[in-house]
Amino acid sequence: MGVSAASVLNQLLHRQNLKAQPHPNATNIKTVTKTILTYLEAGRIGKAASVLFAFPQPFSYSLYAHFFRLCSTHRAIVEARKLESHLLTFTPNPPIFLLNRAIETYAKCNCLRDARDLFDEMPHRDGGSWNALITAYSQLGFPGEAVSLFLRMNRSGVFPNEVTFAGVLASCASASELLLSKQVHGLVTKFGFCGNVILGSSLVDVYAKCGVMVDARMMFHEIPRPNAVTWNVIVRRYLDAGDAREAVFMFSRMFSNSAIRPLSCTFSNALVACSSMCALEEGMQIHGVVVKLGLQANNVVSSSLVNMYAKCGKLEDGSRVFYELGLKDVVSWTCIVSGYAMSGKTWEARKLFDEMPQRNVISWNAMLAGYTRFFEWSEALNFVYLMLDTINEVDHVTLGLMLSVSAGLSDHEMGKQVHGYIYRHGFQSNLMVSNALLDMYGKCGNLNSARVWFNQMSNWRDRVSWNALLASYGHHQLSEQALTIFSEMQWETKPTKYTFGTLLVACANSFALYQGKQIHGFIIRHGFHIDIIIRTALIYMYSKCRCLEYAIEVLKGEVSRDVIIWNTIILGCCHNHRSREVFELFGIMEAEGIKPDHVTFEGILLACIEEGLVDSGIECFKSMNNEYGIPPRLEHYDCMIELYSRHGYMDELENFMKTMTIEPTIPMLKRALDACQKYRCPRLGEYISEKINEFKH
């Protein structure tokens, strides 16, 4: 068994003091104490420890206590060990409270071994000794050890107090030990600590972390006077539980008690909740409270405001908050860069990124995430090279983004190089990185490597891993193999709506109607909720597999229909040559108050082409911008050229092509040229031929 550094120092000092030492008088002790205190006040802890260690007489308990406190603050482990050795050598029976301070100091210095050795060697312990070690294990991430010590403490006859319970409840929360938490709750009640706001807050926290928000909320209401920390706990835990609306509600409830001033982190949590559900109105109300309380200069709060406005589509307001900040730190800079990048304004984001006075890996990741989100793969790749040349280390988020770039470019070799880095630097057990690696191999078409890596992940993979493997096979139209994987998946985890969506899209893309019906039947038999995502995937599958009646029946079963599900059935009708029904569906869609988008109009224009309804197509194209505020895209111009060309409206085609606000593509020009030859329009034919020649040169 190893020997702690403190024990070695103790032995050395003890040997040193076996020699005859002069007996200093009281004047010398006062002089040395004054010297030590002078060094401590100047922050020269090492020098103070050297002076103390060299003096062969005990000092006052107050000096030791003060010294331990400073060692704890400055994380001075070497000096703490010297101090403990000196205390044990020259004080035969040191008071327990000083040894408790030593345990606390070792814990603050992240040296649990020293803390435990000292605790085990103590001939006498009190409640403070147990509390110090329980708290140490709890705070340093060893909840099992903390709980074990708590049980030993009870068996030894030492009664727990508020500090004990706070430490053990924190450990129960970390380990998600619901049953033990309830038992500790019973003891808290038994020992009469029910009205204690700190323990009440701890109980709210532990129930929430164990996934029982009902009990957490009940416990919250049992606290007579919740303080700002208690309110922060309940807001934060609702946010963590994915209930952003309740988090914002509880934040607003806090103001019914005028004596409570929310913490800055509570404002931040409430604003994050608003961001997650795009609750702009609530976010603006919180902004008003921030201004009223004078918290605009708080970087944590302001950064959350920037993020909230960006997520709610009000980037200009977020930018205004950013520029009104006096002192901008790396967090606020990163938030504004992320806001622009994730809103698709990557050029502006990059300009801001280049202006940043200092950056960290999170700043680099924020910019890279913007490029990858909007499929700007070449810019992302150049940015990756710049990043690797500029900073020494990357984190798991960077690696996930780099793998996304590899997948987006179908660059299998780059992906393999990232895989090598992951293996060399020990990131392979990180689930996010592992799933990104699996996704990369699948999208690059290397299904063998995807399956091999998936098998290597057997000890830590999750539903996302299974869905990524399924998507890999589905992407390559291997619906039968995907169904086999789905059967294997059920032995290990429960499928989700994304699992079914992936399988149904795979069946649609390979026209595997039989397998698609099997999936539909499985969903119904096993009682899965057919939400709008699964329903949309079912409509897509049946439409692609030429079973439009089934698709329409699925559509009828959805009460709340969004624009995506309507677009799916409209395009499905076009695919099945049932274009007349598109106009009827569009009428129902508008009657339900669903605003069409660019995909809807593409479907209507395709129906007009199919049915030869040129005038209706012209009216539809004009209404896009005039009535619905949707600027026509390339695909809409393509539809109009096809509409005019197929049905011989050559004068209209000529006028349309000469007034287009975007440049036509080669396929569009060739289609129009074929129509000119068919309907004998040499003048327009010459114009189009010149356009084609311009492309060649």
Side-chain angles (χ1 to χ4, degrees), residues 561 566 582-594:
R561 295 184 276 253
W566 279 108
V582 166
F583 304 104
E584 183 183 341
L585 289 168
F586 180 65
I588 300 170
M589 173 182 171
E590 286 208 298
E592 289 187 1
I594 305 298

Side-chain angles (χ1 to χ4, degrees), residues 272-285:
V272 170
C274 292
S275 304
S276 67
M277 59 180 181
C278 295
L280 178 61
E281 186 178 343
E282 290 85 349
M284 291 175 70
Q285 289 173 350

Side-chain angles (χ1 to χ4, degrees), residues 641-642 644-646 648 650 653 657 666-681 684-685 688-689 692:
I641 290 173
E642 174 68 19
Y644 290 132
S645 299
R646 184 183 293 191
M650 302 311 293
L653 177 62
M657 295 199 71
I666 288 285
M668 290 160 70
L669 291 168
K670 286 184 175 178
R671 189 180 304 119
L673 186 60
D674 290 342
C676 291
Q677 292 169 353
K678 180 179 178 180
Y679 294 103
R680 296 177 183 171
C681 295
L684 179 58
I688 294 171
S689 296
I692 292 172

Side-chain angles (χ1 to χ4, degrees), residues 18 53 83 147 169 236 287 313 347 360 363 383-384 412 462 472 633:
L18 289 176
F53 196 67
L83 191 58
V147 170
L169 283 170
R236 176 68 199 208
H287 189 177
W347 187 86
N360 57 20
S363 318
F383 192 77
V384 165
H412 181 239
D462 63 357
S472 299
R633 300 188 181 191

Side-chain angles (χ1 to χ4, degrees), residues 483 486 500 504 507 512-526 541-542:
L483 281 169
F486 175 63
F500 296 123
L504 289 166
C507 293
L513 177 60
Y514 177 73
Q515 287 90 344
K517 284 183 173 180
Q518 282 185 309
I519 297 298
H520 192 177
F522 181 94
I523 293 168
I524 294 169
R525 285 194 308 275
H526 289 83
M541 184 274 295
Y542 282 125

Side-chain angles (χ1 to χ4, degrees), residues 107 114 123 242 275 278 317 408 560 605:
D114 292 82
S275 304
C278 295
D317 293 329
S560 175
L605 289 171

